Amino acid sequence: MSARAPRPGGVVGTGGDPADVRRRIAERAAREIVPGTVVNLGIGVPTLVADFVPHDIGVIFQAENGMLGYGAAPPPGHENGHLTNAGGLPVSETPGASYFDSTVAFGMIRRGRLDMTILGALQVSARGDLANWLVPGRRVPGMGGAMELAQKARRVVAITTHTSKDGEPKIVTECTLPLTAERCVHLIVTELAVIEVTPEGLVLKEVAQGHSVNEVAALTGAPLLVPDPPGVF
Amino acid sequence: MSARAPRPGGVVGTGGDPADVRRRIAERAAREIVPGTVVNLGIGVPTLVADFVPHDIGVIFQAENGMLGYGAAPPPGHENGHLTNAGGLPVSETPGASYFDSTVAFGMIRRGRLDMTILGALQVSARGDLANWLVPGRRVPGMGGAMELAQKARRVVAITTHTSKDGEPKIVTECTLPLTAERCVHLIVTELAVIEVTPEGLVLKEVAQGHSVNEVAALTGAPLLVPDPPGVF
Amino acid sequence: MNAHPPLPPRENKVVPLARALEFFHDGMTLMYGGFGGIGTPPTLTKGILEKGVTNLSLIGNDAGFPEVGPGPLFVNHRVRRLLASHIGSNPIAGDQMSRGELEVEFSPQGTLAERIRAGGVGLGGVLVDVGLGTVAETGKTTLELEGRTFLVEPALTAEVAIVYAAKADALGNLVFDKTARNFNPFVAMAGDITIAEADEIVPIGALDPECIVTPGIFVDMVVQSEGIHWTWVWEQRKEQA
Amino acid sequence: MNAHPPLPPRENKVVPLARALEFFHDGMTLMYGGFGGIGTPPTLTKGILEKGVTNLSLIGNDAGFPEVGPGPLFVNHRVRRLLASHIGSNPIAGDQMSRGELEVEFSPQGTLAERIRAGGVGLGGVLVDVGLGTVAETGKTTLELEGRTFLVEPALTAEVAIVYAAKADALGNLVFDKTARNFNPFVAMAGDITIAEADEIVPIGALDPECIVTPGIFVDMVVQSEGIHWTWVWEQRKEQA
């Protein structure tokens, strides 16, 4: 491996339709899900991940509004206003599902019974700090359940576009936005790269097809350790 | 009213078969139960109180092992080992009953949703302190749920024989046994008397038929305020 | 607890909406069940709005959507203060907050849930390590216990709590519907007075005692729901599409 | 968490008793559901006894009766330490305590329940005002919060927790039977490893999702119960009469 210094600025965007970028990120993140595990998908793009997980591998989806074992969105016209994920989108019930209140839902999370969460990110730092809930002066939605998920799930996958709309790196040496949780992210998945957070620093595990290590490094705001050669996805 | 000084020692016992004494206490205590209220009966003699409460006055019995709305003991041979009160004695289910875990049972109690509890006593002090769980060096059963019930029920009725087997007063100026809760008892019912705990002190509300005010005062280890005349039960 | 109108007898807690609305007044502390508007009692919320109650201090998971759940209380400027985990789905509440018209305190969702439950079961508070090293620490007391650091999170109660049940009986026993359960069971415990709105009021004994989620002892009044009067967000999106 | 034998896969947690017994060892911390023996898993308790596990540190509501619930573990001198709310129904445990053979810590019942639940839901502890002014204060940290005094009651967990369910499915979802529920639902959350014994193991999907009390995520193994092998105390009294 060799360390590459971050290059400030970087090329804007990575091309491609935003919906396509989201789809590519969700598809790659879905491959992180281990059969037979319990997973919570954050609100927003992480919700799309469910579409790429095979139905027959025994993954149990948990929602912090109080459900274990939700399934795919029902066909149009069959939605139930009282059967949704934490993002308020209609879901269905799978065999073995259960309903409970939100103290129990977060009890599972804080107790460490959740194998994985996939969360959206505004920034991820080189040591795995996550910022995903607040842009001071611009966007103050509140943290919702993100702090519990980020701090307590056994494995945290942060997904994000590699840079902001303005081309600013979202993977940075130090987060400048208020944190969701410290040292919590294990893996970062973007449309360009899969990056692992290790005690030694960020390791570039995979680069998206059609993109180069140099391109990824240029768009990353923190040093990257690069195996020779990294994988391709 | 006139205050009567306690007389140390006092006459031993009050005569009568112990089972009959218990029955008399339970019968009088039952009359304290207000129709349409939620009541928890402590373990031991308080359990007998239920036998004297009419079934049609809408009283709901709560048990800290996790039941609201239990009813009378089933006929012999119809007991269910998984349907008991907190003392482990078989009970039955009334319409509208519910089962829950003990955190919810004590949630009801601590939140002040219990209208009344009837508890056995080892000692009650002039200001309503209750000792009912520990005799150092002799009997160390543990407090069970008594501290929550004594401290948090809206009304606490302490029932006890007026004196110990050795003739020692159980109603005293200061408890010498470890407390269950401070200033918690509202009313004391014994086989001899009904005594109210007031900010001014203990008030002798009623004397048992066939017994005198002087007799009660002699067996009581704290000053009694006596209305002229007290009631009879 | 403040003085309030008389409560119905414990053996029949079913009251008309108008009677329940007597318990709402300007400046009160009000707690509500629901998560993104799902599980927030629609008829009680509409009644509070129509009665003109204002200057409310609210505690709930979120501010709903502008037309969904508690949302209209914000849109119609009835809220002075909110304690919630997020308001992202109600941009009007966000605007009011930015303009200083609405005072908002954020709490991590699971911490908020436990604080409400703690109030509901008569605890003083809970010790939580979620949010250490973040702004969630701000203004909080910390405590060292067995070598670890925790935030002291005080219990929450409210003058009145409102919840939305699928079924209720006259004793106040409640069951909920699927993920509309969410915050409702512990909010039901945390009201000094708790009012449940139910889609269906069933005879005493009709609910399975093993499946009752909220025992009636926590509930002071039950009103018949008139059902959801808003369009769910995913239906709105479909209409727009 | 200590090293332990491998757990069964999440999609089928049903194991033979012998496999579950691999998780019990001398000197371990063990938590059990039940209240006066009612709701304490009989087959697992018997298995622990027969395996010869000793020097146990137990957490539970009480010590059962000598022949009922956890009682035989005391009678057979397998317990070194107990945290409970009372032991009045097991005089043999009381004698062992008096002789200094058994270390006992008492906690008010509701406080004990909340401490176990706090461990089960990943809190650090709870603030309680029950027991202020009594010996329950002894050795406890107090904390002033919003003008009131509370005891700081630390959360409790255990290496293994055992519970007794009426029905279980292979995912570990549980329902309980009447007042045998008592301590079981929160004990089920507080084990680093939780083993449920069930009277009936039903197919996945057979339990009503609205009525499941313990979601399977908290349960690591399920064993088939062989049923109650003791005589209930009220039956003993009848036999003696």
Side-chain angles (χ1 to χ4, degrees):
Chain A
M1 289 189 192
S2 62
R4 286 167 189 258
R7 305 192 197 166
V11 192
V12 175
T14 58
D17 171 52
D20 185 56
V21 166
R22 285 197 296 272
R23 202 190 55 78
R24 258 190 289 161
I25 295 171
E27 190 169 3
R28 177 59 191 84
R31 281 192 261 145
E32 292 301 313
I33 294 180
V34 176
T37 59
V38 182
V39 177
N40 182 299
L41 301 176
I43 294 173
V45 182
T47 304
L48 301 178
V49 172
D51 296 343
F52 300 99
V53 178
H55 295 296
D56 56 357
I57 63 168
V59 172
I60 297 175
F61 288 109
Q62 192 254 18
E64 59 270 35
N65 53 335
M67 186 175 189
L68 192 63
Y70 70 79
H78 291 77
E79 299 94 345
N80 179 339
H82 288 173
L83 179 48
T84 76
N85 61 24
L89 298 176
V91 294
S92 57
E93 191 182 288
T94 66
S98 54
Y99 300 102
F100 37 83
D101 72 40
S102 294
T103 62
V104 177
F106 282 98
M108 297 169 180
I109 296 167
R110 276 191 309 260
R111 186 72 176 106
R113 288 284 187 177
L114 213 65
D115 296 297
M116 180 189 282
T117 188
I118 299 178
L119 296 172
L122 295 168
Q123 288 180 330
V124 183
S125 83
R127 64 174 168 269
D129 298 344
L130 174 68
N132 81 344
W133 72 281
L134 190 148
V135 182
R138 262 176 55 201
R139 186 161 165 254
V140 189
M143 67 286 281
M147 288 190 174
E148 282 89 352
L149 287 166
Q151 193 173 328
K152 297 293 186 176
R154 291 191 197 163
R155 186 167 171 81
V156 176
V157 175
I159 66 176
T160 173
T161 53
H162 208 91
T163 60
S164 70
K165 283 177 195 159
D166 308 331
E168 291 297 316
K170 297 177 79 169
I171 301 162
V172 293
T173 304
E174 291 280 348
C175 292
T176 54
L177 296 172
L179 294 189
T180 305
E182 290 176 326
R183 298 174 184 274
C184 62
V185 175
H186 298 87
L187 194 78
I188 307 165
V189 175
T190 77
E191 76 282 21
L192 293 185
V194 177
I195 297 169
E196 194 180 350
V197 181
T198 76
E200 289 71 41
L202 299 177
V203 176
L204 182 63
K205 304 289 283 186
E206 296 177 25
V207 173
Q209 216 150 20
H211 296 274
S212 70
V213 170
N214 281 350
E215 189 183 349
V216 170
L219 296 171
T220 303
L224 283 181
L225 298 165
V226 184
D228 197 15
V232 173
F233 76 101
Chain B
M1 291 190 187
S2 61
R4 286 166 187 259
R7 303 188 199 169
V11 193
V12 175
T14 59
D17 170 53
D20 184 56
V21 166
R22 285 199 295 273
R23 202 190 54 80
R24 257 190 290 160
I25 295 171
E27 190 170 6
R28 178 58 190 84
R31 281 192 260 144
E32 292 301 314
I33 293 179
V34 176
T37 58
V38 181
V39 178
N40 182 300
L41 301 176
I43 294 173
V45 182
T47 303
L48 301 178
V49 173
D51 296 343
F52 300 100
V53 177
H55 295 295
D56 56 357
I57 64 168
V59 172
I60 297 175
F61 288 110
Q62 192 255 18
E64 59 270 34
N65 53 336
M67 185 175 189
L68 193 63
Y70 70 81
H78 291 78
E79 299 94 345
N80 179 339
H82 288 174
L83 179 48
T84 76
N85 61 25
L89 297 176
V91 295
S92 57
E93 191 183 290
T94 66
S98 53
Y99 300 103
F100 36 84
D101 72 40
S102 294
T103 62
V104 177
F106 282 97
M108 296 170 181
I109 295 168
R110 277 191 309 261
R111 185 72 176 108
R113 288 284 187 176
L114 212 66
D115 295 298
M116 182 188 280
T117 188
I118 300 180
L119 295 173
L122 295 167
Q123 288 180 330
V124 183
S125 83
R127 64 173 168 270
D129 296 344
L130 173 68
N132 82 344
W133 73 279
L134 189 150
V135 182
R138 263 177 55 201
R139 188 164 163 251
V140 189
M143 68 287 280
M147 287 189 174
E148 283 89 353
L149 287 165
Q151 191 173 328
K152 296 294 188 178
R154 291 191 196 163
R155 187 168 170 80
V156 176
V157 175
I159 67 176
T160 173
T161 53
H162 208 90
T163 61
S164 71
K165 283 175 194 159
D166 308 329
E168 290 299 316
K170 296 176 80 169
I171 301 162
V172 292
T173 304
E174 291 281 349
C175 293
T176 53
L177 296 172
L179 295 188
T180 306
E182 293 177 323
R183 298 174 185 274
C184 62
V185 175
H186 297 88
L187 194 78
I188 307 165
V189 176
T190 76
E191 76 282 22
L192 293 184
V194 177
I195 296 170
E196 193 180 348
V197 182
T198 75
E200 289 72 40
L202 300 176
V203 176
L204 182 63
K205 302 291 283 188
E206 295 177 25
V207 173
Q209 218 151 18
H211 295 273
S212 70
V213 169
N214 282 349
E215 190 184 349
V216 170
L219 297 170
T220 304
L224 283 180
L225 298 164
V226 184
D228 197 14
V232 173
F233 76 101
Chain C
M1 205 187 302
N2 293 339
H4 56 71
L7 292 168
R10 284 208 183 61
E11 60 270 27
N12 186 5
K13 296 175 178 172
V14 180
V15 296
L17 176 63
R19 176 96 187 269
L21 289 178
E22 292 174 18
F23 288 78
F24 299 90
H25 58 85
D26 291 353
M28 76 184 302
T29 309
L30 175 64
M31 197 182 271
Y32 49 93
F35 197 111
I38 294 153
T40 302
T43 307
L44 284 166
T45 310
K46 192 156 165 264
I48 293 164
L49 199 64
E50 287 174 357
K51 187 181 172 181
V53 184
T54 192
N55 202 23
L56 289 166
S57 187
L58 296 184
I59 301 172
N61 180 53
D62 56 72
F65 292 82
E67 291 165 29
V68 169
L73 294 173
F74 295 87
V75 172
N76 290 280
H77 302 275
R78 304 301 175 77
V79 190
R80 174 176 49 89
R81 191 172 185 287
L82 172 68
L83 172 53
S85 79
H86 75 90
I87 57 169
S89 52
N90 191 337
I92 290 166
D95 292 345
Q96 293 175 355
M97 177 182 161
S98 304
R99 286 197 301 268
E101 296 165 19
L102 174 68
E103 186 188 336
V104 180
E105 180 187 338
F106 290 118
S107 183
Q109 204 161 54
T111 298
L112 179 62
E114 284 293 332
R115 291 181 67 184
I116 295 171
R117 179 189 176 278
V121 299
L123 298 173
V126 292
L127 306 180
V128 183
D129 69 354
V130 168
L132 285 172
T134 78
V135 296
E137 273 195 53
T138 315
K140 299 272 158 134
T141 305
T142 59
L143 183 136
E144 301 291 318
L145 189 66
E146 298 171 353
R148 293 174 59 198
T149 304
F150 295 98
L151 301 176
V152 177
E153 294 282 0
L156 296 168
T157 59
E159 286 174 66
V160 175
I162 58 173
V163 298
Y164 187 24
K167 295 181 187 181
D169 67 19
L171 297 174
N173 291 309
L174 307 179
V175 298
F176 302 93
D177 188 28
K178 299 187 167 62
T179 56
R181 185 183 306 197
N182 55 62
F183 269 49
N184 280 300
F186 47 93
V187 164
M189 302 192 287
D192 291 338
I193 291 168
T194 292
I195 308 175
E197 167 177 344
D199 276 333
E200 195 184 341
I201 297 173
V202 301
I204 291 171
L207 298 173
D208 181 347
E210 297 278 15
C211 298
I212 288 170
V213 175
T214 296
I217 194 172
F218 289 113
V219 175
D220 298 288
M221 279 171 279
V222 173
V223 302
Q224 172 66 54
S225 181
E226 294 162 8
I228 299 293
H229 53 75
W230 55 66
T231 307
W232 293 112
V233 172
W234 44 270
E235 292 172 328
Q236 294 170 16
R237 285 186 193 144
K238 213 157 34 184
E239 282 167 15
Q240 288 161 7
Chain D
M1 205 188 299
N2 294 337
H4 56 70
L7 292 167
R10 285 209 182 64
E11 59 271 27
N12 186 7
K13 297 174 178 173
V14 180
V15 297
L17 178 62
R19 175 98 189 267
L21 290 178
E22 292 174 18
F23 289 79
F24 299 90
H25 58 86
D26 292 354
M28 77 185 299
T29 309
L30 175 64
M31 198 181 270
Y32 50 94
F35 197 112
I38 295 152
T40 302
T43 307
L44 285 166
T45 310
K46 192 156 165 264
I48 293 165
L49 200 64
E50 288 172 358
K51 186 180 173 182
V53 184
T54 192
N55 203 22
L56 290 166
S57 186
L58 296 185
I59 301 171
N61 180 52
D62 56 73
F65 294 82
E67 292 166 30
V68 170
L73 295 173
F74 296 87
V75 172
N76 291 282
H77 301 275
R78 304 300 175 77
V79 190
R80 173 177 51 89
R81 193 172 185 284
L82 172 68
L83 172 52
S85 78
H86 76 90
I87 57 167
S89 51
N90 191 338
I92 291 165
D95 293 346
Q96 292 175 353
M97 177 181 159
S98 302
R99 287 197 300 268
E101 297 165 18
L102 174 68
E103 185 189 337
V104 181
E105 180 187 337
F106 290 118
S107 183
Q109 202 161 57
T111 298
L112 178 62
E114 284 293 333
R115 292 180 67 184
I116 295 171
R117 179 189 176 279
V121 299
L123 299 172
V126 292
L127 306 179
V128 183
D129 68 354
V130 168
L132 285 172
T134 77
V135 296
E137 273 194 52
T138 315
K140 300 273 158 136
T141 306
T142 59
L143 183 136
E144 302 289 319
L145 189 66
E146 297 172 354
R148 294 173 59 198
T149 304
F150 295 99
L151 302 175
V152 176
E153 295 281 0
L156 297 167
T157 59
E159 285 173 66
V160 174
I162 57 173
V163 298
Y164 187 24
K167 295 180 187 179
D169 67 20
L171 297 174
N173 291 308
L174 308 179
V175 298
F176 302 93
D177 188 29
K178 299 186 167 62
T179 56
R181 186 184 305 198
N182 56 62
F183 269 49
N184 280 301
F186 46 93
V187 164
M189 300 191 289
D192 290 337
I193 290 168
T194 292
I195 308 176
E197 166 177 344
D199 277 333
E200 196 184 341
I201 297 173
V202 301
I204 290 171
L207 298 173
D208 180 346
E210 298 278 15
C211 297
I212 288 170
V213 174
T214 296
I217 193 173
F218 290 112
V219 176
D220 297 287
M221 279 170 279
V222 173
V223 302
Q224 172 67 53
S225 180
E226 294 161 9
I228 299 292
H229 52 77
W230 54 66
T231 307
W232 292 111
V233 173
W234 46 269
E235 291 172 329
Q236 294 169 14
R237 284 184 193 144
K238 214 158 34 184
E239 283 166 14
Q240 289 160 6

